[in-house]
Amino acid sequence: MNFARDNWAGATPEVMAALARANDGFAPAYGGDALTGRVKQLFAALFEREVEVWFTATGTASNSLGLAALSRPGGLIFCSSEAHIHVDEWGATEFQSGGMKLIPMPQADGKVSAADFATTLRRFPEGGRFGTPVALSLTNATECGTVYAPGEVAELAGMARERGLAVHMDGARFGNAVAALGASPAAATWQAGVDFLSFGGTKNGCWAAEAIVVFAPDKLGDLAARRQRAGQTLSKARFVAAQFEAYLTDGNWLRWAGHANLMAERLRAGLRASSRARLGWESTANEVFAVLSSESLGHIRAAGGSLHEWPVEALAAPLAEGEVLVRLVTSWATQADEVERFLSMV
Ligand SMILES: Cc1ncc(COP(=O)(O)O)c(C=O)c1O
């Protein structure tokens, strides 16, 4: 019963086989190899247009370096108050950007509404005394397991563009979002106004494969230099390329993400039907938030289950005595019988 995080799962057999294949012989370093060239074409095909692709080792590097490439003195980046860049990345964006400031906005189940974004924008007028608005950052799938539909992204991105802001998407779980939406990657990103995407592979079956996919290169002029100075220009880039080749071939990435989403949906269905537990809120991707009794949680942990408690402030209504809020994350490797066992123990 492994529901702690999707990156507790290993890499898929397809990814491991691709890594082994890429290990044959010599190849130019720093992305000058033929495989990296081919994989960039796979990204272009996936997004139905030319894109720049910059490999990194972690999602934090993708987020912080992409946003840092927009850097301006006094620059402001708007994001949800639950955003990973705000809550979990130890000030990486602020550090890499030389001190741009994140402005957390109200959110509901991980999503920022157009009304709240409009209110925030009014608080930070152009030429005002609080700094210079530079970017909007949205996470899809969100930190709360919900997803922004392309129309919702387009509305927020349209408001951002009206104010001259760049639009970033943290896609650490982009595969789960696309699999849940059934929209094309193009519709979910640049066609909705996204300028650059942190494209995550690690949480969805890769070993360590992340990339900054840039749709508006004119806005991120010095990204290459920033990546170099941050030590994120991977010398044996062919091994990252190999993982992405396996990832993007035959729709593997959506199959793996779809499986994770399905396992999450089974958890949700079981929890909705339970008289002993309930969903903290509805989600659609591979993260499920559940209210359990602390007794159930104790039994599950004693039986070897791994899952994390989640801060209760995220809940609309307070917990009763003896209840806990937990987060369950499924992955490409989650087994249906783990889900059944978890539900039966609840
Ligand atoms: C939404 C989101 N963005 C970014 C990251 C950062 O990824 P990494 O741990 O590879 O830096 C995570 C990791 O948990 C995440 O959940």
Side-chain angles (χ1 to χ4, degrees):
M1 290 182 290
N2 287 291
F3 300 114
R5 290 177 199 274
D6 32 14
N7 54 5
W8 283 30
T12 62
E14 290 88 339
V15 164
M16 294 310 290
L19 281 166
R21 277 195 306 278
N23 198 31
D24 191 24
F26 292 78
Y30 301 114
D33 60 289
L35 182 54
T36 298
R38 281 206 303 283
V39 163
K40 288 185 176 174
Q41 290 313 309
L42 290 180
F43 273 100
L46 184 73
F47 286 101
E48 304 173 50
R49 55 166 287 168
E50 274 185 26
V51 290
E52 278 189 3
V53 181
W54 303 91
F55 296 158
T56 66
T58 67
T60 301
S62 290
N63 287 340
S64 59
L65 294 176
L67 288 165
L70 304 168
S71 189
R72 288 182 61 183
L76 306 173
I77 299 166
F78 303 106
C79 61
S80 124
S81 61
E82 290 285 325
H84 202 269
I85 56 170
H86 173 57
V87 177
D88 300 284
E89 297 185 3
W90 289 54
T93 295
E94 293 91 325
F95 173 71
Q96 295 291 356
S97 67
M100 283 210 290
K101 189 174 164 73
L102 299 186
I103 305 292
M105 297 188 282
Q107 50 76 40
D109 301 346
K111 289 164 67 173
V112 175
S113 69
D116 283 329
F117 185 35
T119 306
T120 307
L121 284 173
R122 277 195 296 275
R123 278 178 50 217
F124 295 93
E126 194 60 46
R129 61 191 182 89
F130 303 118
T132 306
V134 161
L136 168 68
S137 177
L138 302 173
T139 308
N140 214 11
T142 71
E143 291 78 2
C144 297
T146 50
V147 293
Y148 287 99
E152 294 174 303
V153 175
E155 184 176 17
L156 293 164
M159 294 165 67
R161 283 173 168 233
E162 252 172 50
R163 284 287 305 271
L165 310 190
V167 181
H168 165 243
M169 182 172 279
D170 175 351
R173 296 189 179 83
F174 187 63
N176 302 96
V178 171
L181 288 164
S184 71
T189 56
W190 64 272
Q191 289 176 353
V194 173
D195 293 310
F196 62 109
L197 167 72
S198 301
F199 184 96
T202 311
K203 293 183 193 304
N204 185 31
C206 289
W207 182 82
E210 302 288 321
I212 309 169
V213 177
V214 183
F215 308 111
D218 49 314
K219 295 189 182 170
L220 286 84
D222 58 1
L223 179 56
R226 286 182 186 273
R227 190 180 68 140
Q228 183 72 35
R229 292 189 74 188
Q232 286 291 320
T233 306
L234 294 149
S235 68
K236 292 192 181 177
R238 65 169 144 155
F239 290 106
V240 180
Q243 297 172 70
F244 277 134
E245 188 186 41
Y247 197 69
L248 298 177
T249 298
D250 297 335
N252 280 336
W253 68 301
L254 291 180
R255 190 162 51 80
W256 299 333
H259 172 82
N261 290 356
L262 176 68
M263 292 298 105
E265 190 47 43
R266 287 198 191 164
L267 281 170
R268 282 188 285 266
L271 289 161
R272 276 184 212 115
S274 171
S275 57
R276 310 291 299 269
R278 63 183 184 279
L279 288 174
W281 55 86
E282 285 291 340
S283 57
T284 19
N286 64 323
E287 293 184 283
V288 178
F289 295 81
V291 177
L292 311 178
S293 69
S294 41
E295 197 189 359
S296 293
L297 178 59
H299 288 315
I300 290 161
R301 286 201 168 134
S306 48
L307 66 167
H308 289 308
E309 283 189 52
W310 201 250
V312 290
E313 298 77 56
L315 274 176
L319 293 178
E321 182 78 23
E323 287 184 333
V324 283
L325 176 65
V326 297
R327 182 184 73 162
L328 306 161
V329 193
T330 54
S331 73
W332 70 273
T334 303
Q335 303 287 318
D337 59 4
E338 288 180 274
V339 170
E340 292 314 316
R341 184 154 177 244
F342 173 85
L343 291 172
S344 69
M345 290 198 71
V346 166

